[in-house]
Each structure stands twice: as C-alpha cells, then as structure tokens.
Amino acid sequence: MKAKIIVSYLVIFLLLSCNSSSVYSNFDLQPESKQWKQSDVKTFEFTIDDEAQLYDIVFKFSHVYDYQFASVPIDVTIENPAGEKEKITIDLKIKDASGKELGDCSGDICDLTLAIKNKAKLQKGKYSITIKNNFKGIYLPNVIGLGLDVDKTK
C-alpha cells in the first residue's frame, strides 16, 4: 500500500515537472500515522521572476477515502517579497451536501485541489505561503499529504 502511494506521487511529480507553465510544485506526504497536527504549519517558498504574468496558486490535499468530515478549516498566509502578509481563511469542502466525495478518488485515496488564488498578479521576488489546519482537535486524521502548486495562468 505504502509503495503504491509513493510510486503514484512520483509519477505525478514527474508529469508535473514537465509542465512549462509550472513555477512551483511541492507535495509533502504525512507520516505513517496519517495525522496533520495542528502545530504542523506547512511552509512553501517560491520565487516569481516575471511580474507581467498572472498566476494560479492551488492547494493540494490528499486523504483517505470516505473522509469523516465534510469540510476542514484551513488558514493560509501569503507573504510577498515586500514582507506584506495576506491571511485567507478557507473552509475546504471534502464532500458535497449529499455526502459524495469532491476529490478525485482512486481506491482508498482521494486527491482534492482548491484554488487559493486565480489569475493573481504577483510581484517579482520570493514568496512564502504557510498553511495550517484550524481543526478543533490536536490533529486532523486520515491525511495522506499536502501540497502547493503555482502555475502561470493559461
């Protein structure tokens, strides 16, 4: 099972690395316990070289099929090259009103993507994006991995 997950993400990584519109792509697998601890704030850093371009910033969330929660509260902070911070609170929808998974599910793994920003104008320089779960417990269970993509808008 673990080997299948690693191979799947390796293939996805290789396919994404061939994408010329990709500026940044990172995906972190959670420990074997599949717990995203509230204290585990994920930080993603990338550099923008072309400020004339528009960008899409996408959060990636992979979880075990038939997730026990319909949504997950997420806090995102985007720090631009000037040191200014933008805080965004997201209610990440895992299931629709009827209980159907919203992610792309294969076997017992579901992958969900959520656009944090679409067609955003970003300044030239280094960005830092932190993502934290705001779940009411000490950890969010059944999380396989988390990631971030930054792509040039097509």
Side-chain angles (χ1 to χ4, degrees), residues 57-59 76 78 88 90 114-118 129 131 148:
I57 301 173
V58 178
F59 175 59
V76 178
I78 302 172
I88 303 168
I90 298 170
L114 175 72
I116 295 172
K117 291 214 173 247
N118 281 319
I129 296 181
I131 301 177
L148 188 80

Side-chain angles (χ1 to χ4, degrees), residues 81-99:
E84 301 164 335
K85 294 183 179 181
E86 177 184 4
K87 296 184 187 241
I88 303 168
T89 300
I90 298 170
D91 188 30
L92 180 65
K93 302 285 184 202
I94 307 292
K95 297 180 179 185
D96 65 14
S98 69

Side-chain angles (χ1 to χ4, degrees), residues 119-145:
K119 298 181 182 177
K121 186 151 183 68
L122 302 178
Q123 302 170 14
K124 190 174 187 177
K126 186 176 177 181
Y127 280 79
S128 177
I129 296 181
T130 57
I131 301 177
K132 175 185 184 298
N133 87 62
N134 203 14
F135 182 66
K136 297 300 179 205
I138 58 173
Y139 66 88
L140 188 61
N142 297 319
V143 177
I144 295 170

Side-chain angles (χ1 to χ4, degrees), residues 1-9 29-32 34 109:
M1 170 67 177
K2 185 176 178 182
K4 286 181 8 184
I5 292 171
I6 292 171
V7 170
S8 296
Y9 285 112
L29 289 172
Q30 289 302 102
E32 233 176 271
K34 294 183 181 62
I109 299 172

